[in-house]
Structure formats: C-alpha cells, structure tokens
Amino acid sequence: MEERLYRTLEFDKVIHQLLENASSSLGREKIEQLTPTTDVEEARVRQQLTFEGFTVLRLKGSVPFGGIRDIRRGLARAKLGASLSPSELLDIAGTVYGGWRLRRFIESLLEQHELPLLADMAVQIERLQKVEDDILACIDEHGVVMDSASPALSQIRSQIRATEGRIKDRLENIIRSTSYQKMLQESIVTIRGDRYVIPVKQEYRHVFGGMIHDQSASGATLFIEPEAVVQANNQVRELRFKEEREVERILQILTGMVAEHVEVLDHNVKILAEFDFTFAKASYAHRIKAVQPKLNDKGYIKLKKGRHPLIPLQEVVPIDVEIGQTYTSLVITGPNTGGKTVTLKTIGLHALMAASGMHIPAEEDSEMAVFSGVFADIGDEQSIEQSLSTFSGHMTNIIRILGQMDANSLVLLDELGAGTDPTEGAALAMSILDHMYQLKARVIATTHYSELKAFAYNRPQVLNASVEFDVETLRPTYRLLIGVPGRSNAFAIAKRLGLPEVIIEDAKQHVSIEDKNVENMIASLEENRLAAEQDRARTEDIRKEMEKLREQLEQERADFAKEKNHLLQKAEEEAARSVAKARKEADEIISELRKIAQEEQIGIKEHRLIEAKKKLQESVPSFEREKERKKKQTGKETLKVGDEIKVLSIGQKGEIIADLGNQEYQVQLGIIKMNIKADDLMLLKSGKKKEVVPYTRVKMSTETVRPELDLRGYNIEDALQEIDKYLDNAVMSNLHQVSLIHGKGTGVLRIGVHNFLKKHRSVKSFRLGGQGEGGLGATIVELK
C-alpha cells in the first residue's frame, strides 16, 4: 500500500501514538516498520499475539522490560573483533538478564492461562548465564573495570595507590612547612595533567625546582611539580599505562566471549523486539478501549460502535457499518461538516489497523476484512507544482485507483465528482461507481449530488446512507444512518434563520416534481426511522423494568425462604433443648425406679423403659424447610456445559462440565466432581455455549488454585477472610508455597496479614518477597 495512503487516512498518526507505548528502541523500530498485511492468516496471527499481550496486561498490569537495550551495534563490532567498551558490555549483560526475566515472567502465567504464541516466543530466549556472570564479575554498575577482574590489575592499582600516597605525603610536608607557607598561594595539593602539583607564587618559582604544569589567568600563581616528587609521578604515569593495557586485555577477553555467542544474542534481541512490539500494541489497545476483531478474506465489514482512534472518547460519535454481504457499495450523503469524511477515515483506519495486528476501537463481535489493497481519495489532493485544479487532482487519484484495484479492494471516495459542473460531475460520479460496482470491489463514497441517491436505489448491491442533521439546532449529530439517504435541508435551515416565507415558497416552485418526490420519500423514511427508534427505546425500557422486577421478586422469594428456614431451625433448636432437658430428667427417674425396684424386689420390665425412652427421643420436632427456588428456565436458559450453577442440596456453587443425559449432569465443585440431577441445580450464570460430546469421551481436568492472591485495595478484615479461604483451597490443591500480594503502602495491611499468618493452622512459615518476587509488596507463605 502506498505511503501517502497512510497520511490520507491518518494511519501515520496512529503509528505515532503507538510509538508512545513502546518500552525500548527495539520496539519503536518495529513499530516504525509496521505495514498492513494482505494475507488473512498472517493478520490472524498478528491479532492473536496482540490479544495474548492484552491478556497479560489485564492480569498483571505491566511487563518487566527493565535492563533491555538495543545491543545490535555492539554485537556487530564484537563479531568484527573490535574491543567493546565497559558500558557496551554492561548493556549486553543487562539485556541477557532482562530477556531471561521476561521469559520467566511469561512462563509463570502459562500454568493458569493459554498463551501459545507468547510461550513459543519466550522459549526461544536463551539464558547465557556465563556471559552475564563473567561481565558482571569484571565491570561494576558504573561501567568501571573492577580490581578483581584480574590479579595483575589488582596488583597494578595497588602500586598506583601506594605511590600516590607517598607523593601526597611529600607534598603535604611541603605545604605544612612554615618556611614554605609564605611562598604558596594556597596550602593545597592539586592535579594538573595527571601530575600532583602545588600552587606557588610567581616570585618563588625557582625555590622548588621541578616542572611548571600550569599557571593562573593572572600569571601570579604557578602550578609546580616539585623536583622531590617528579620521579614518583613518573612511576604513577608508567603504572597508569600498564593499567590501561590490562583493562584493554580484560575487555578484549570479554568481547571475545560475546563474539562466541553473537548469533544467540542477536536472536534474543529479535525476540525481545517482538515482545516489546506486541505489548506496545496491547497497551495501545487498552488505552483506546479496543477489541480484537474477527477477520475474513471475503470483503465483509461489520463495525459495531466503531470509533475514530484519534478523536477523544468523550467527543467521538460511534458508527455502525456493515458492507460486503447484501450490498458491496455504500453512498453517503449529508451536509458539510456532518461527519462523512470522518466516517470514511474511520472505516479505512479500522481496515489498516486490523491488517496490522492492532485491535480496533469498537464493540465485541465487530468483523473486518483483510483486503488486497485499500485505496482512498479524500480531501483536496490538487498538486500546486503541477497546477492541477481540485477536480483534476481527484481525477488523477481515481484514475490511479482504477488501474490498481481488484475485487478484493476497499475504495474510499470523498465528495466524488466535486469541483466541476454539477450535472457533468454527477454523471461522471455515477459512471465511476458503476464501473467499480461491476468489479465487485467494496466501495464507500460520499457526495452532495442528489442524482446518486437514485443510483443507489437502482442497484441491488448499492445502499444509501446519510449523516444525520438536526434542523432544530442547525447542527449535525454525526450519526451515520444506514439505508436512509440524506435530505436537502436548505429550505428548513433558511426558514429557521428567518428568511421570509414568500421567498422560500417561491424557491420551492423552481424544484422539479421528481426532486420533490424524492425529498418527500426521504422525509417519510426519516419519520418512520425515528418512530421505530422511539418504539425500540420504549420496548427496551419496558424489558429492563420487567427484568428488574423479576429479579426483585426472585430475591424477595429467596429472602422469605431464608427467613422461614431460619425460624424453623430456631424452633427446632429450642424444641431440641427442651427434649434434651426432659430426657435427662427421664434418665434420672428411670435410674431411680431401677434402684427402688431392686431394693424392694418389684418387677419392672426393662423393655418398657427402653420403649418409653425411645418415644421421648422421637418427640423432637422436625420441620420441612423450603428448598431454594430454581430460576425459571425458558427454552433459551436450559442447562448446558459451561453454565455456572448452585447445587441446592449442599448450597455449593460450581460449573457444569458434562451432560450425562436423562436430566443428569456432571458438575465441578472446586476440586470435586459430582453427578447431580437437574432438579437439584439452580442456574446462576449462563456460560458460553460449548459442544456437548458423549460423557465417555469427555476429558476432564482438575481446576487448580492460582499460586498468588492479590489483596491490594482490600481493608484488613476483608483481606483476612480472603486469605483464610485461599489458604484452605491452596492446601487442598497440594500447593506448598503461595504468594500474598499486599503492596507496600503504609504497611498496615502487611502487618495485619503477618499477624494472621502467625496463628493460621495451615502456615508452616512465611517471609517477605525477594528480588523478582515482589519485594516488600508481597509475602511468600510456605504451607504445611
């Protein structure tokens, strides 16, 4: 696709916004090279990568890209045998570590979430631990080669420090001497040209001998290296040369090690660039509230509440557009500044973004085609250098488009036929549209010509559309109305502005009967559309109110049943206490009767005593509780695999994982699976429809507990309740170590969590997180 198309549709501005979301120059370079693909499968892979990146950001909020640098120039120099600088080597070590940390970050998510494309990228990052360790063992964080880099360097620097110490001692003795103090400008030791010197007054220059290395601006002060330290300074100079040679030798060794792994490092960099690029797209999608579109190669576009990505959310007016199935061309009419051009650019931008792997700012279930080419003639394209008129500029563009387009192209034409005689312009516009229509390309054109309204009616796959105009406020609403051509509002606007009625009526006499009929038809369509929208809005309000009342009634029924059961349970407990008291008294009486019978030789049959006691036991009242009502199920709400349900007999929530037939289902309750009849299940939330396969073929997987619990934003009381439930589930899932994320903050939540963990039955030990584990913002818990 041509570069100027990106400027015409403002895709270059979208790229500029995308650049702001990159974390490194690696990602920015990938973004600057981004172009839409014409292959639908490649576009799907790009979209899936962005979706997986979006999922990671939704779960974690950010991705660790710290330490990663563009080291390709250093790698190229190492490959050629040039010695790398300490800072270049540090960048390589940081990139090696940063890449490995990113790989571990992605792999930590794979146990709970499916991220196949990111996982495949992460596994390609190699560790290269020795390269990192050897570099960091020789160079500190400031880019200085350390004494420990080699025994020779350590010895040389030790000699330098010792010799410099002797020099300073001799010079200190000179400046402290009373005989020399009057000769010194200041009693200090300083350095000039890597030599230790003292500031001497001009008139005493010959007293000290040695060498003059500098003088003050006035010439009154000379910086002299006394003869007593010249030899020692020479020794320091020689040691410095040795130090430089040893440092260079060390850097050459490290560079050689890098050169041995240059291909692996280069591949790591490419993967890291792809990661940064992917998460930049994901971050941008989150920023503009975009969604992953469905993609096709059939030329079908379906935008639901599509928004222009460069217009602020609070200002943009979403549009609904569908083209490519029942009709292939759309003719949009309406007033200037009504939003026609924005509509064209929105559709064109969505096509380019979708083919580039970027999510589009629209609602779920939007669908975009991947075209073989996107062409646009929008705005004033006249060339000043070629002295072309507006009309000529447009025609030049259209001729170029006609020569390049095919049946799988998207063509966007703004103000087709404008800039010339209206009659000829309209005729030319219709012929151009007819030619593109015959080629079966997807065409969206805007126009002022009323003749094109009739053109759309006479073609089965061409549809009229318009941008809405409010005559009352004399302002456009920017809404796109599909199937309704735009009306001429000239008379209505003139009347609202105060033009005399007699002039307006006279003007109407000059309008042809055909034009009047068309305007009347359009007015009728608009009235019907408004009435339909009002009816639909009222119906929706009634539906929402009925749904609200139904939910309220269900809640009241549930509350009533709960209160009834509570009262019955209370009555049972009260009765049980009374019977227990009576039983105790009866036991005492029976015991006394046995004692009396034994003493007085009175015969009492034991079985009668036992029967009497049994009757007393059975006298405890029992009340039948009202079962929780199932939600009324309609044909669309029948239970299916994936539904969230509640098992009424045990009060436990779960999910249906298999349909066993005969109104029996297998449900997952935590880590437990049970077979439950349908009449013991209450539907809580309908899940996505899943393909139901015979029970014997269903492969079950045990639901696992995540290895971390995020408590940020909780108060202490709620956090402790969440921790208690979470630790129980973790123990049942055989987790030996979990992480509690409480954040740093004021430390109140952390202290409360630690006090709770000290007393918890399932906790063996706990500690604050280390590097890569959240630090002071997380607590690592070891379970029994």
Side-chain angles (χ1 to χ4, degrees), residues 280-444:
K281 291 187 294 179
S283 179
Y284 184 61
H286 182 270
R287 171 179 161 188
I288 63 173
K289 301 187 184 304
V291 299
Q292 180 184 13
K294 299 177 183 177
L295 297 179
N296 67 80
D297 57 356
K298 307 299 182 185
Y300 175 55
I301 295 176
K302 180 183 178 183
L303 278 183
K304 297 179 66 177
K305 305 296 181 186
R307 292 174 279 108
H308 195 292
L310 301 178
I311 302 177
L313 279 172
Q314 63 273 19
E315 299 176 14
V316 67
V317 178
I319 61 172
D320 292 312
V321 178
E322 186 172 357
I323 185 173
Q325 283 190 340
T326 56
Y327 55 92
T328 59
S329 299
L330 193 64
V331 177
I332 305 174
T333 52
N336 287 328
T337 70
K340 298 192 303 297
T341 303
V342 172
T343 296
L344 287 182
K345 289 186 176 182
T346 299
I347 297 169
L349 269 178
H350 280 63
L352 296 179
M353 291 172 70
S356 301
M358 301 168 66
H359 287 2
I360 60 174
E363 287 190 352
E364 297 287 351
D365 297 325
S366 291
E367 188 165 353
M368 287 300 303
V370 176
F371 294 99
S372 60
V374 176
F375 303 95
D377 177 56
I378 297 176
D380 188 359
E381 295 287 347
Q382 63 177 312
S383 169
I384 297 176
E385 292 181 1
Q386 297 176 356
S387 299
L388 296 177
S389 66
T390 301
F391 177 75
S392 298
H394 283 302
M395 283 301 105
T396 301
N397 274 341
I398 291 172
I399 292 168
R400 176 180 49 81
I401 292 172
L402 289 171
Q404 297 178 9
M405 62 180 288
D406 58 27
N408 194 32
S409 296
L410 173 65
V411 182
L412 307 170
L413 303 173
D414 191 27
E415 299 299 347
L416 181 60
T420 187
D421 177 75
T423 302
E424 293 181 354
L428 198 56
M430 286 189 287
S431 295
I432 292 171
L433 284 178
D434 209 23
H435 181 76
M436 293 181 175
Y437 169 76
Q438 297 297 331
L439 286 176
K440 302 185 183 303
R442 297 334 183 231
V443 182
I444 304 176

Side-chain angles (χ1 to χ4, degrees), residues 583-645:
R583 188 186 302 119
K584 183 179 180 182
E585 293 175 353
D587 286 342
E588 292 175 356
I589 293 172
I590 290 172
S591 178
E592 186 67 24
L593 286 174
R594 285 175 178 155
K595 185 177 180 181
I596 293 172
Q598 187 177 8
E599 290 176 353
E600 299 184 7
Q601 301 297 317
I602 301 174
I604 300 178
K605 294 184 178 181
E606 188 68 20
H607 71 277
R608 291 186 177 178
L609 295 177
I610 294 173
E611 287 178 359
K613 187 175 180 180
K614 184 178 179 182
K615 289 180 180 178
L616 183 63
Q617 179 77 16
E618 292 173 347
S619 66
V620 179
S622 175
F623 303 103
E624 182 180 354
R625 290 173 173 75
E626 181 176 336
K627 288 187 177 181
E628 294 186 65
R629 294 177 178 267
K630 289 194 297 181
K631 291 185 178 179
K632 184 179 179 182
Q633 297 181 0
T634 66
K636 293 183 179 179
E637 295 177 334
T638 54
L639 296 175
K640 62 181 182 296
V641 175
D643 286 349
E644 184 180 341
I645 48 80

Side-chain angles (χ1 to χ4, degrees), residues 552-566:
Q552 183 178 348
L553 179 59
E554 287 291 333
Q555 186 61 43
E556 288 176 356
R557 286 178 175 176
D559 292 343
F560 174 77
K562 184 177 179 180
E563 181 64 21
K564 177 182 175 182
N565 291 339
H566 175 70

Side-chain angles (χ1 to χ4, degrees), residues 182-199:
K182 67 177 183 178
M183 303 178 188
L184 302 175
Q185 199 68 261
E186 290 182 86
S187 297
I188 60 170
V189 176
T190 185
I191 295 177
R192 288 293 187 275
D194 295 330
R195 314 280 288 193
Y196 286 94
V197 297
I198 55 177

Side-chain angles (χ1 to χ4, degrees), residues 435-686:
H435 181 76
M436 293 181 175
Y437 169 76
Q438 297 297 331
L439 286 176
K440 302 185 183 303
R442 297 334 183 231
V443 182
I444 304 176
T446 68
T447 182
H448 280 298
Y449 296 135
S450 59
E451 291 87 347
L452 266 68
K453 302 173 188 177
F455 171 84
Y457 278 111
N458 294 327
R459 301 293 187 282
Q461 290 192 335
V462 182
L463 192 66
N464 272 315
S466 61
V467 286
E468 190 177 52
F469 187 86
D470 190 338
V471 179
E472 296 298 320
T473 62
L474 301 182
R475 304 183 73 175
T477 65
Y478 303 105
R479 292 179 59 202
L480 181 66
L481 308 177
I482 301 295
V484 180
R487 311 176 47 186
S488 173
N489 297 293
F491 294 153
I493 293 172
K495 183 177 181 181
R496 290 280 299 170
L497 293 175
L499 188 68
E501 186 74 26
V502 63
I503 296 177
I504 294 174
E505 290 301 322
D506 183 58
K508 288 180 179 180
Q509 302 304 316
H510 297 290
V511 178
S512 66
I513 297 176
E514 290 80 3
D515 288 340
K516 289 181 181 179
N517 291 336
V518 170
E519 288 299 317
N520 291 335
M521 176 192 67
I522 295 173
S524 176
L525 284 172
E526 283 199 354
E527 289 175 5
N528 292 336
R529 178 188 60 80
L530 290 173
E533 285 187 355
Q534 292 171 357
D535 290 342
R536 186 163 56 249
R538 283 194 296 268
T539 302
E540 181 64 18
D541 290 340
I542 294 172
R543 188 193 66 77
K544 290 180 179 179
E545 184 65 26
M546 292 297 293
E547 184 68 20
K548 184 178 179 181
L549 290 173
R550 187 188 67 79
E551 291 178 357
Q552 183 178 348
L553 179 59
E554 287 291 333
Q555 186 61 43
E556 288 176 356
R557 286 178 175 176
D559 292 343
F560 174 77
K562 184 177 179 180
E563 181 64 21
K564 177 182 175 182
N565 291 339
H566 175 70
L567 293 174
L568 291 175
Q569 182 180 359
K570 189 174 180 182
E572 280 184 0
E573 292 172 353
E574 190 69 31
R577 283 194 293 270
S578 299
V579 171
K581 181 179 179 183
R583 188 186 302 119
K584 183 179 180 182
E585 293 175 353
D587 286 342
E588 292 175 356
I589 293 172
I590 290 172
S591 178
E592 186 67 24
L593 286 174
R594 285 175 178 155
K595 185 177 180 181
I596 293 172
Q598 187 177 8
E599 290 176 353
E600 299 184 7
Q601 301 297 317
I602 301 174
I604 300 178
K605 294 184 178 181
E606 188 68 20
H607 71 277
R608 291 186 177 178
L609 295 177
I610 294 173
E611 287 178 359
K613 187 175 180 180
K614 184 178 179 182
K615 289 180 180 178
L616 183 63
Q617 179 77 16
E618 292 173 347
S619 66
V620 179
S622 175
F623 303 103
E624 182 180 354
R625 290 173 173 75
E626 181 176 336
K627 288 187 177 181
E628 294 186 65
R629 294 177 178 267
K630 289 194 297 181
K631 291 185 178 179
K632 184 179 179 182
Q633 297 181 0
T634 66
K636 293 183 179 179
E637 295 177 334
T638 54
L639 296 175
K640 62 181 182 296
V641 175
D643 286 349
E644 184 180 341
I645 48 80
K646 182 175 184 180
V647 181
L648 299 177
S649 58
I650 60 176
Q652 182 72 30
K653 293 181 181 179
E655 180 184 350
I656 295 177
I657 60 175
D659 186 346
L660 307 181
N662 297 324
Q663 292 295 301
E664 186 175 6
Y665 299 89
Q666 186 175 64
V667 299
Q668 182 88 41
L669 306 174
I671 63 172
I672 300 173
K673 298 174 185 173
M674 299 178 67
N675 296 345
I676 308 291
K677 288 291 186 181
D679 57 4
D680 194 23
L681 298 176
M682 180 175 71
L683 177 64
L684 297 179
K685 183 178 180 183
S686 181

